[in-house]
Amino acid sequence: MSTVLQSLSTELADAVESAGRAVVAIHARRRIPASGVHWRPGVVVATNHTISRDENITATLPDGTTAAATLAGRDPGTDLAVLKLAGQKVATASLRLDPPPKVGELVIALGRPGPSLTASWGVVSRVNGPWRTWQGAEIDSLLRLDLAIYDGFSGGPLIDGVGRVLGINTSALARGVPVTIPVATVERIVTELLEHGTIRRAYLGIGTQQVRVPESLARKLELKGDLALLVVSLEPGGPADRDGLLLGDVLLELGGAAVSDAADVLAQLGGEGVGKPLAARVIRGGQVKMLQLTPGERPTSRAA
Amino acid sequence: MTASVTAGLAQGLAAAVDELRHITVQVRTRGAATGAGVLWNGGESGARGLVITNAHVVRGDRATIELSDGAVARARVVARDRKRDLAALEFEPGRAMAATVVRDSPLRVGELLIAIGHPGGLVGAATLGILQATESAREGRAPRWIRADVRLAPGFSGGPLADATGRLVGVNTMMQGNLALAVPAAAVEAWVRHSHQPVAP
């Protein structure tokens, strides 16, 4: 029989075995535990949606022992959570930041929904560009996977053929479709959560809809483009409401940049934007008006 | 991967599948193709031929089996265990054929597994996957199932699940969501040893 087939089989099992030494089970919800990856010494990365309690969290380590873990912070936006695991001898994951995963690359998803390690294999089916989740979190390049999901998939690592970690798997970011949050994003979120405990995200508390400004008005107001954003909802007492933005205002520019869809607005916010005023150019009652909008910090449990 | 690795892999896989087809039989009851079976003993040293399949594949006492070389034989159910979902069929082989070799070393999560079956009347179809998990070993207790990340369809029942060297790992039995469950080859071996006693016709 083929030695190539046998070599592949052995290498896959080797990759699973070595990467599996850094995969733990996280007990923080009812029923089936989820997975976590020992990312840095004493730091375990898991998924936010599988951690339903903030206290009494335990981890089952690869050697079968149980250890207490404490929640260092969580980010619903990227569905990541960071836990601390003190004084345990667990291998640290070997991360692959470069080269980036390619479409068609053979990958394995690991999980530990209890004492035993689980694996499923498949390929990377898509590599997205920078992408914002519905809660405004930025993910550098989300990976879509063609593989089967088993219990404990979320919070487990996606690994390559030699056992290096490509990211953290979750089934909660894309309506049940298996995706992987890439290493670069996980690194950024882990650093921020360890420092601040939360991910600060600026927000205005508005809902908008793209509209086309009538040509005559666009000419009269000397607009560069004719697409703009109609303010269709306003969070009562939210940052934009406090700063005097009204329902029905048409947002043309924010922070000096033209805005024609919601992503343009999010691009002006980010984590550093909290408390920094942005100049807003709006059409109100047929006239152009300038306003100062100061983004607030997005409450973690709320959308918009 | 270089092209030569991919080509070697494709060739190796085709060769492995070809070999596994020799130990895979079709099991029919009342003329209809109902499932697959593993050629446990091909009639070496003058013994009767023995095929292992799932109990749910052969409900009656008799079945017709078709070997990979096209030979058709009438077979008799000589042992059945509904709890383990196993059945043993005896037949008179026309000529001696290679029998199954059982894998005896421990399985590793992530290793390649090949399943052969006859889904939808497609004879000798193959699917490739990996071992999904090993059941947590409890003292003195053999695992109940081999858990494979392999897509099985009706028609794979009773057929072989083998490793990359072609050794039998289990008898494909059912899907549980995405997970394929097979009766471990060691459990089949023990069952054949203990319960394969000819029943009165």
Side-chain angles (χ1 to χ4, degrees):
Chain A
M1 288 244 180
S2 161
T3 53
V4 184
L5 201 62
Q6 287 169 38
S7 309
L8 176 63
S9 184
T10 305
E11 282 177 19
L12 290 174
D14 287 347
V16 167
E17 193 179 307
S18 72
R21 293 190 191 113
V23 182
V24 301
I26 303 290
H27 306 261
R29 62 175 176 181
R30 281 163 189 255
R31 266 170 28 86
I32 307 155
S35 304
V37 178
H38 190 226
W39 197 265
R40 298 177 189 172
V43 175
V44 169
V45 177
T47 42
N48 173 64
H49 81 275
T50 54
I51 295 183
S52 55
R53 53 177 186 260
D54 291 344
E55 281 164 8
N56 297 324
I57 298 172
T58 57
T60 304
L61 309 181
D63 66 3
T65 59
T66 303
T70 52
L71 188 66
R74 48 163 97 220
D75 176 35
T78 51
D79 193 31
L80 290 173
V82 172
L83 300 152
K84 283 190 173 171
L85 194 64
Q88 299 296 331
K89 276 187 185 154
V90 181
T92 308
S94 144
L95 308 177
R96 181 179 125 190
L97 205 55
D98 263 314
K102 282 184 181 168
V103 173
E105 181 168 347
L106 183 61
V107 288
I108 303 169
L110 295 184
R112 199 182 283 281
S116 315
L117 191 65
T118 65
S120 59
W121 77 333
V123 295
V124 173
S125 63
R126 212 166 92 192
V127 180
N128 284 1
W131 178 72
R132 278 180 194 279
T133 68
W134 60 282
Q135 285 187 315
E138 196 171 342
I139 292 184
D140 305 74
S141 56
L142 196 72
L143 310 176
R144 280 192 180 245
L145 311 176
D146 176 27
L147 48 70
I149 299 183
Y150 297 104
D151 289 335
F153 171 83
S154 287
L158 187 76
I159 62 167
D160 65 10
V162 293
R164 289 175 301 178
V165 172
L166 299 170
I168 296 288
N169 301 323
T170 173
S171 58
L173 274 184
R175 297 164 202 257
V177 173
V179 297
T180 304
I181 305 155
V183 169
T185 307
V186 178
E187 283 282 21
R188 185 161 50 79
I189 300 293
V190 167
T191 303
E192 215 170 324
L193 285 181
L194 287 175
E195 272 174 30
H196 307 294
T198 56
I199 302 298
R200 277 159 62 93
R201 288 210 173 85
Y203 91 121
L204 290 169
I206 58 171
T208 61
Q209 186 185 313
Q210 191 179 63
V211 288
R212 199 174 286 279
V213 180
E215 206 182 308
S216 55
L217 186 61
R219 208 179 309 122
K220 183 183 147 200
L221 301 176
E222 294 170 355
L223 303 183
K224 284 168 217 132
D226 60 353
L227 288 178
L229 290 173
L230 174 67
V231 178
V232 293
S233 72
L234 206 54
E235 185 190 302
D241 185 31
R242 283 198 306 267
D243 291 338
L245 196 73
L246 298 177
L247 268 185
D249 282 349
V250 175
L251 194 58
L252 299 169
E253 285 174 17
L254 195 63
V259 289
S260 59
D261 65 38
D264 294 339
V265 176
L266 289 170
Q268 292 296 318
L269 299 172
E272 312 76 48
V274 179
K276 290 180 190 155
L278 289 167
R281 194 160 174 249
V282 302
I283 305 175
R284 181 180 294 172
Q287 303 294 323
V288 170
K289 187 174 163 61
M290 293 301 291
L291 288 168
Q292 289 280 337
L293 301 181
T294 306
E297 187 174 336
R298 184 193 300 269
T300 47
S301 60
R302 213 176 300 167
Chain B
M1 256 190 224
T2 63
S4 64
V5 172
T6 316
L9 195 59
Q11 263 175 20
L13 190 57
V17 167
D18 220 45
E19 270 191 53
L20 286 171
R21 281 178 178 151
H22 291 138
I23 60 153
T24 311
V25 307
Q26 295 176 64
V27 178
R28 299 193 203 112
T29 51
R30 290 184 207 96
T34 50
V38 179
L39 190 61
W40 196 261
N41 184 325
E44 290 136 320
S45 44
R48 280 186 166 176
L50 187 66
V51 163
I52 301 299
T53 184
N54 285 139
H56 78 259
V57 170
V58 278
R59 301 213 186 269
D61 289 338
R62 283 168 199 288
T64 304
I65 60 162
E66 186 173 333
L67 303 171
S68 61
D69 64 359
V72 175
R74 310 188 90 180
R76 203 162 57 92
V77 176
V78 291
R80 189 201 299 275
D81 186 333
R82 286 205 175 80
K83 216 175 127 212
R84 289 190 179 83
D85 202 356
L86 290 175
L89 301 164
E90 256 187 19
F91 68 102
E92 291 298 336
R95 62 177 179 89
M97 291 181 75
T100 298
V101 181
V102 170
R103 157 87 173 256
D104 46 16
S105 54
L107 296 174
R108 300 178 70 201
V109 177
E111 75 168 89
L112 287 180
L113 296 175
I114 305 165
I116 309 284
H118 319 297
L122 194 68
V123 177
T127 87
L128 183 66
I130 60 171
L131 187 75
Q132 192 258 355
T134 51
E135 274 178 33
S136 40
R138 291 199 190 93
E139 287 291 319
R141 249 172 100 187
R144 175 129 167 70
W145 297 109
I146 300 292
R147 301 159 60 98
D149 179 37
V150 177
R151 298 295 87 73
L152 298 182
F156 274 96
S157 280
L161 182 70
D163 67 10
T165 65
R167 285 173 297 178
L168 189 78
V169 160
V171 171
N172 297 316
T173 300
M174 62 166 133
M175 287 297 286
Q176 196 178 73
N178 286 325
L179 189 67
L181 298 177
V183 181
V188 177
E189 213 168 26
W191 178 75
V192 169
R193 250 199 326 271
H194 290 110
S195 61
H196 176 40
Q197 292 147 359
V199 292

